[in-house]
Amino acid sequence: MSPPECSSAPATESLTSTEAPARTAPATEVAPWRTPLELTLLGAIWGASFMFMRIAATDFGPFPLVDMRLTFGALVLTPFLWRARAQFTGVLWLRIAGIAMMNATVPLTLFAWAAERAPAGIGAISNGMTVMFTALVAFAFFGERIGARRLIGLVTGFVGVAILASGRTAGVSVAPAALAGTAASLCYGIGINLVRRYLTPYPPAAIAAAALTSGALVLAPLAVWTWPHHPVPNASWVSALLLGVLCTGFAFVLYYRLVARIGAPRTSTVTYLIPLFGVIWAWLLLGEPLTITMASAGALILAGVALSQQRAPPA
């Protein structure tokens, strides 16, 4: 969940994530540097998730890695779910489980699959399409106006994906990984719209915890079936733990605290930081190159994100 892994508001890897209410809690006095610092920290954490997937995906495989991520993240968020447990009926759990497939289980598995086959930066850049897919799904299925600027943003973003898919790493095409990341972003776009319409009356952190729990349970049989038979290096175990605890559990806590303080639209600006940090971490710590193709595609996708954030004028 981009997060993330991000949504349009939020955009994440996720925001591999649920949509928080747009309203803002009463303002509290905080130091003026705190909000920019926390937004940067959140972008750095969600950007790092692609690096951790790149490290661990080859050793674990997509299903075990994502199931561990969902499980560890759910454990961190369990207190929020426990506090709101009286609101969670059987029908609500079924609804959450269905939406979690589009908003967590499937996209995270696609990103993990892509991480086996291409540099971490490919997934991080393609994740930026979440914002645009969220607007496109809202237009196509829920009747929201898209506006000329958003339309231009969508076209610009798709051109960026086409450029990204044309790249090669060590002579091997990255197109399958780029398309998997784009498909994951489309899943996020669908999931975010479903959350907006069916889950917003409930506490968002509790919904996130329930979605992670549901996703982990659904994926568990496949994770057990494909569990690696070879010894897994310590680096991959640490990466899997950090994916769940830091990039999913802690990141959601930080995200919802920011939404409560400054509102969802301002918090969604973290979308611009995730591809940047995803590429930087992979370059600094994994030695992955930043190619001209990746830079050009990233610039176009971020430009598309900027345009798609513009609201359509009232009808």
Side-chain angles (χ1 to χ4, degrees), residues 92-106:
L92 179 60
W93 272 104
L94 287 174
R95 182 179 294 175
I96 291 170
I99 294 175
M101 291 296 294
M102 297 304 297
N103 213 29
T105 311
V106 174

Side-chain angles (χ1 to χ4, degrees), residues 56-84:
T58 302
D59 291 311
F60 282 109
F63 296 126
L65 178 60
V66 173
D67 195 54
M68 285 190 293
R69 177 178 185 174
L70 294 172
T71 300
F72 292 143
L75 289 174
V76 174
L77 295 174
T78 294
F80 298 97
L81 179 58
W82 179 256
R83 205 157 50 207

Side-chain angles (χ1 to χ4, degrees), residues 203-217:
I207 290 293
L212 294 174
T213 301
S214 301
L217 291 173

Side-chain angles (χ1 to χ4, degrees), residues 3-223:
E5 315 83 4
C6 303
S7 73
S8 65
T12 134
E13 162 265 339
S14 217
L15 295 179
T16 61
S17 64
T18 54
E19 175 77 2
R23 58 183 179 274
T24 308
T28 57
E29 288 296 328
V30 298
W33 49 265
R34 183 172 165 182
T35 294
L37 178 64
E38 289 184 355
L39 281 170
T40 303
L41 177 62
L42 184 58
I45 290 172
W46 270 332
S49 68
F50 295 94
M51 177 188 67
F52 294 136
M53 281 191 287
R54 179 64 170 164
I55 294 170
T58 302
D59 291 311
F60 282 109
F63 296 126
L65 178 60
V66 173
D67 195 54
M68 285 190 293
R69 177 178 185 174
L70 294 172
T71 300
F72 292 143
L75 289 174
V76 174
L77 295 174
T78 294
F80 298 97
L81 179 58
W82 179 256
R83 205 157 50 207
R85 65 190 183 280
Q87 300 180 50
F88 283 72
T89 63
V91 173
L92 179 60
W93 272 104
L94 287 174
R95 182 179 294 175
I96 291 170
I99 294 175
M101 291 296 294
M102 297 304 297
N103 213 29
T105 311
V106 174
L108 289 179
T109 302
L110 286 169
F111 276 124
W113 183 89
E116 287 185 289
R117 292 160 174 80
I122 300 297
I125 292 170
S126 59
N127 182 68
M129 290 294 294
T130 298
V131 176
M132 289 168 277
F133 278 128
T134 302
L136 183 60
V137 169
F139 166 74
F141 296 100
F142 298 103
E144 291 189 11
R145 295 192 64 195
I146 200 165
R149 285 189 177 182
R150 280 190 167 184
L151 183 59
I152 294 171
L154 288 169
V155 173
T156 302
F158 288 128
V159 171
V161 169
I163 292 174
L164 185 65
S166 71
R168 305 180 74 84
T169 299
V172 178
S173 172
V174 301
L179 294 176
T182 304
S185 298
L186 173 59
C187 290
Y188 281 146
I190 296 170
I192 290 161
N193 277 284
L194 293 175
V195 170
R196 284 176 174 173
R197 282 154 182 81
Y198 301 113
L199 298 178
T200 50
Y202 305 97
I207 290 293
L212 294 174
T213 301
S214 301
L217 291 173
V218 168
L219 204 57
L222 285 172

